[in-house]
Amino acid sequence: MTPMLEVNDLHVAYGKVEAVRGVNLTVPPDRIVTIIGANGAGKSSLMNAIVGDARASGSVRSEGREVQGWPVERRVSNGLCLVPERRELFADLAVEDNLDLGGFAHRHDRAATARTREWVLELFPRLRERLKQQAGTLSGGEQQMLAIGRALMSRPRMLMLDEP
């Protein structure tokens, strides 16, 4: 069975500071995997590199396909998605607009996107109550629901949560 994710000899550096050194990781299908480490150990850098938001060397394979070198949006379109630690919501946009942006990769299939949105709103009924509200005015917990909901709108096959 092809792993959901294979990371081999991954290195991430910020200038001269190496944040991740030679990481190897395999995630089988239908599994929950947790990466545990001290502050500053490179957990966020690892996830950012996997999704393509940090420059890295080494190999990243998603469902058998080498994705190293692909831009973030192509990785998301192919099923990899990260909910970053800082949420990175569009604070001035409404909840519904943030959700719609999460489903951008599937914008041509409006019916499926509408079903996905309905599913997300069933998972997080508080978001339904706040659809017209600006994301930046939500409570911290509501913002976290929105960040996860936005990620789920992309219909990921692998969802990574950085400090959920």
Side-chain angles (χ1 to χ4, degrees):
M1 189 177 303
T2 303
M4 280 301 297
L5 179 72
E6 291 177 277
V7 174
N8 292 300
D9 196 30
L10 193 74
H11 295 260
V12 179
Y14 301 102
K16 294 182 180 183
V17 177
E18 193 169 34
V20 174
R21 182 180 311 146
V23 169
N24 296 299
L25 171 70
T26 300
V27 178
D30 302 321
R31 295 283 191 254
I32 296 173
V33 174
T34 304
I35 299 171
I36 300 172
N39 288 342
K43 302 176 300 291
S44 295
S45 294
L46 172 63
M47 285 189 272
N48 284 326
I50 290 168
V51 81
D53 202 26
R55 292 182 59 142
S57 63
S59 174
V60 177
R61 297 181 70 78
S62 174
E63 297 179 298
R65 291 179 306 251
E66 180 62 52
V67 299
Q68 186 67 321
W70 288 10
V72 173
E73 55 275 7
R74 184 170 177 201
R75 294 182 200 206
V76 170
S77 293
N78 281 274
L80 284 175
C81 193
L82 170 66
V83 177
E85 176 183 2
R86 297 167 312 282
R87 301 183 192 114
E88 298 179 13
L89 299 172
F90 296 95
D92 293 336
L93 296 181
V95 167
E96 63 186 343
D97 295 330
N98 273 273
L99 291 174
D100 289 345
L101 287 169
F104 182 78
H106 303 288
R107 66 193 175 280
H108 302 296
D109 189 348
R110 291 181 184 208
T113 298
R115 287 191 303 274
T116 303
R117 184 178 185 191
E118 186 57 33
W119 175 69
V120 167
L121 295 174
E122 287 174 13
L123 285 174
F124 302 112
R126 190 70 167 178
L127 295 181
R128 186 185 305 278
E129 298 170 12
R130 305 267 192 258
L131 280 174
K132 301 292 182 189
Q133 187 172 330
Q134 282 186 325
T137 65
L138 298 173
S139 72
E142 291 167 340
Q143 287 184 14
Q144 191 66 28
M145 288 179 214
L146 180 54
I148 294 170
R150 183 184 62 189
L152 292 173
M153 288 294 298
S154 73
R155 297 183 226 152
R157 288 188 300 281
M158 184 170 142
L159 179 64
M160 296 181 289
L161 305 172
D162 190 358
E163 300 210 18

